[in-house]
Amino acid sequence: RPRLASRARRAASTPSRRRGARFVAMAAEKKKLWGGRFSEDIDPLMEKFNESLSFDRRMAQEDIRGSMGYARALAKTGIITDDERDALIEGLGKVAEEWAADAFEVKDGDEDIHTANERRLGEVIGTVAGKLHTGRSRNDQVATDTRMWLRAQLVVLRGYLRELIAVACDRAEREVDVVMPGFTHLQSAQTVRWSHWLLSHAAAWQRDDMRLADLAPRVNTLPLGSGALAGNPFGVDRQALASDLGFERVCPNSMDAVSDRDYVAETMFWASTTMIHLSRWSEDLIIYSSGQFGMVKLSDAYSTGSSLMPQKKNPDALELLRGKAGRLLGTLTGFMAVMKGTPTTYNKDFQEAWEGLFDTVDTMSDCLQIATGCLATLKIDPAAMEKGLSADMLATDLAEYLVRKGVPFRETHHISGAAVKLAEDRGCALSDLTVDDLKPLCDAFEDDVVGVWSYEKSAESRDTEGGSSRRSVLEQVAKLRKYLEDTESEMNVA
């Protein structure tokens, strides 16, 4: 027994045992992932200034899934054992469950989601948690987390956008026979169909959907395995890692991988462009719903009243859509200003991207759903729309009548203008002019000119592809629906 005790004391005093004891002691202390070369405590204000867990915690599950994939990749290289891999994955699963149950306890020193998850993993499985970060940097880790988070969010946003387009198609088909004034410079211009106006905005939303589809592959590109900037020294198979984590491809250059925030800028640009389209649509409806126009009426569900004037019904939902467009434009501009002066590879400036990105996604989610609700529930007043039509809006049709009689358009334009002036001088409507009134302006006028004074006929005369005729409008609906159907398979990628 004395000999056994002596051997035990000698084993405890060997260098390897001493190193292990020292590692355990260090792990028990509150330390930063980067704190080894620092000897002074961090300023508490700097701690607050530097932290991002308050907003990047929403990527907790993505951070854990990325770490699970990385543990599997490390095991394939032999740098960790299969047992260690399994322990890491099992421990990460328990951490994920805590986040899902809103039971994760944040502690002092958890400056970001990566630090928090790794700290908790160490508490769950012990010192083997320290092997998870082998060859990995928070530089490639955060870029991976945000891409994983964003790719799923873009699918959700695209679903909301496509629902808006579908509602527009349904209303356009159902209300195709309603005609209304079309405007240029906000002045009455020509007769169009309500459905034609509606589809003019749906066409813009379709482009927004196309842009989102085009953006998705660039978001779904894997940076993990790039390390801090120079690459991974342990032979991690990045193609296999990409496949494991559901990425389409890998970033081709490790320095660019940790530096690239194009996918953030593109998402913000997409959002800004989409919001410009929603803002212009909102502005039209705000005008059309005003007392002076009265062509549409918003549902009470998307309106509010005045605290002073009992008669007021304000289009607050539409006004907020218009206002939020300006805010997202500011977010994009601010982010681009942050990025423009940063040197190659990672800089802490990049942290400023995440709050703007999260807000952009949240705002777009709300705005697309609100817009769909507004469109699905608003009521139109066909009589008010017809009342808004005026005979002078048929001046172009009068010129086109003469074109069909063989008169060059440049001449007919002036002749029709003279007819408008004649009606103004007489204080009557353009349609009140008789053929005898018109003949002195051009002898090509005949009795059939009375057929010009039909708003329905005016809309129907524009029967080319994309025009305002009934056939053309229904064709536009069919094309939009086919587009949604043909691209539906793209929505299965998350």
Side-chain angles (χ1 to χ4, degrees):
R1 286 181 180 174
R3 285 197 299 272
L4 288 173
S6 178
R7 284 200 297 270
R9 286 193 296 271
R10 286 196 301 272
S13 65
T14 59
S16 62
R17 293 297 296 270
R18 288 196 299 271
R19 284 196 300 271
R22 187 165 60 251
F23 177 79
V24 172
M26 290 174 64
E29 298 175 9
K30 291 179 181 177
K31 283 190 172 292
K32 303 291 185 185
L33 296 181
W34 41 264
R37 62 94 62 222
F38 290 82
S39 58
E40 298 180 32
D41 290 338
I42 191 169
D43 185 316
L45 179 58
M46 178 59 190
E47 185 100 31
K48 179 177 179 293
F49 192 63
N50 185 56
E51 75 85 27
S52 60
L53 183 60
S54 57
F55 51 86
D56 66 20
R57 62 190 298 156
R58 67 193 299 168
M59 299 189 298
Q61 298 295 343
E62 286 78 16
D63 187 71
I64 290 169
R65 287 202 301 273
S67 291
M68 287 178 171
Y70 191 66
R72 289 188 287 268
L74 286 177
K76 289 178 181 178
T77 71
I79 200 68
I80 65 172
T81 67
D82 289 348
D83 287 343
E84 289 171 330
R85 173 202 62 202
D86 294 343
L88 288 167
I89 291 174
E90 182 180 357
L92 287 164
K94 292 179 180 178
V95 178
E97 290 173 1
E98 291 181 2
W99 279 111
D102 198 23
F104 187 96
E105 183 182 353
V106 174
K107 294 185 177 180
D108 291 343
D110 290 348
E111 66 181 77
D112 53 39
I113 189 58
H114 326 297
T115 308
N117 280 341
E118 186 169 333
R119 185 266 308 160
R120 180 57 182 147
L121 180 63
E123 294 173 351
V124 172
I125 67 172
T127 57
V128 70
K131 293 194 173 187
L132 178 60
H133 212 56
T134 303
R136 184 174 68 168
S137 166
R138 285 186 297 176
N139 297 359
D140 60 348
Q141 188 176 359
V142 69
T144 302
D145 291 357
T146 50
R147 287 173 183 268
M148 292 177 69
W149 179 84
L150 183 58
R151 71 184 178 188
Q153 296 300 316
L154 293 184
V155 173
V156 175
L157 293 180
R158 195 175 178 198
Y160 293 148
L161 176 59
R162 292 162 69 87
E163 184 178 357
L164 177 61
I165 296 171
V167 169
C169 287
D170 292 343
R171 289 208 72 147
E173 182 180 55
R174 188 168 66 248
E175 298 164 339
V176 67
D177 292 319
V178 178
V179 294
M180 65 176 287
F183 302 91
T184 63
H185 308 277
L186 202 55
Q187 305 296 312
S188 297
Q190 289 182 295
T191 308
V192 296
R193 296 185 182 278
W194 154 256
S195 298
H196 195 209
W197 169 85
L198 186 51
L199 292 174
S200 74
H201 292 284
W205 300 334
Q206 180 186 20
R207 293 195 300 274
D208 296 327
D209 186 72
M210 291 175 173
R211 269 186 284 271
L212 203 49
D214 183 67
L215 166 61
R218 289 188 293 281
V219 173
N220 201 24
T221 301
L222 176 73
L224 194 57
S226 298
L229 76 161
N232 188 286
F234 298 107
V236 166
D237 185 341
R238 296 187 66 216
Q239 293 292 342
L241 182 55
S243 178
D244 185 19
L245 295 177
F247 285 91
E248 297 179 32
R249 59 185 61 80
V250 301
C251 297
N253 180 282
S254 62
M255 295 178 74
D256 179 64
V258 300
S259 184
D260 172 28
R261 294 297 183 270
D262 289 2
Y263 63 98
V264 177
E266 287 191 74
T267 298
M268 291 179 177
F269 175 79
W270 166 81
S272 296
T273 303
T274 303
M275 284 305 300
I276 288 172
H277 294 151
L278 287 178
S279 179
R280 299 185 71 189
W281 170 79
S282 297
E283 173 67 5
D284 279 357
L285 288 177
I286 289 168
I287 293 170
Y288 297 165
S289 67
S290 67
Q292 289 74 16
F293 282 74
M295 297 193 300
V296 302
K297 182 179 181 181
L298 293 180
S299 167
D300 289 350
Y302 298 96
S303 307
T304 66
S306 166
S307 62
L308 177 65
M309 298 167 284
Q311 82 281 9
K312 293 291 295 299
K313 181 177 180 179
N314 300 322
D316 282 16
L318 298 174
E319 291 174 349
L320 285 169
L321 287 172
R322 189 175 60 185
K324 289 178 187 297
R327 182 160 61 79
L328 289 193
L329 280 166
T331 300
L332 169 63
T333 303
F335 173 69
M336 299 295 277
V338 167
M339 291 299 297
K340 74 170 186 63
T342 54
T344 307
T345 77
Y346 184 80
N347 302 271
K348 197 56 179 273
D349 313 47
F350 296 175
Q351 183 168 294
E352 295 302 303
W354 308 138
E355 288 182 282
L357 177 63
F358 297 149
D359 178 66
T360 294
V361 170
D362 291 344
T363 301
M364 288 306 302
S365 176
D366 292 344
C367 287
L368 290 169
Q369 293 180 81
I370 289 292
T372 301
C374 285
L375 181 57
T377 58
L378 67 81
K379 291 181 172 58
I380 63 171
D381 187 338
M385 291 181 177
E386 186 174 352
K387 186 178 179 181
L389 298 167
S390 57
D392 59 297
M393 295 173 61
L394 299 171
T396 304
D397 299 80
L398 186 64
E400 291 163 351
Y401 165 86
L402 292 175
V403 167
R404 292 184 176 92
K405 299 290 186 180
V407 182
F409 176 75
R410 276 299 161 213
E411 292 182 27
T412 70
H413 185 280
H414 289 290
I415 294 168
S416 181
V420 171
K421 180 66 165 57
L422 177 62
E424 288 178 350
D425 291 343
R426 292 187 177 184
C428 67
L430 182 63
S431 56
D432 290 336
L433 297 178
T434 66
V435 66
D436 292 333
D437 295 327
L438 294 170
K439 266 194 173 295
L441 303 177
C442 179
D443 58 12
F445 282 115
E446 299 179 15
D447 290 340
D448 60 352
V449 72
V450 296
V452 170
W453 315 126
S454 166
Y455 301 116
E456 174 67 24
K457 184 178 178 181
S458 176
E460 279 298 286
S461 69
R462 277 110 179 107
D463 192 38
T464 52
E465 183 174 357
S468 61
S469 73
R470 192 177 195 278
R471 181 207 63 79
S472 178
V473 167
L474 293 176
E475 181 182 67
Q476 293 168 53
V477 171
K479 286 180 178 179
L480 265 176
R481 284 178 172 158
K482 186 175 188 306
Y483 167 79
L484 293 175
E485 180 182 347
D486 290 347
T487 55
E488 181 61 28
S489 61
E490 299 172 8
M491 300 300 295
N492 297 327
V493 180

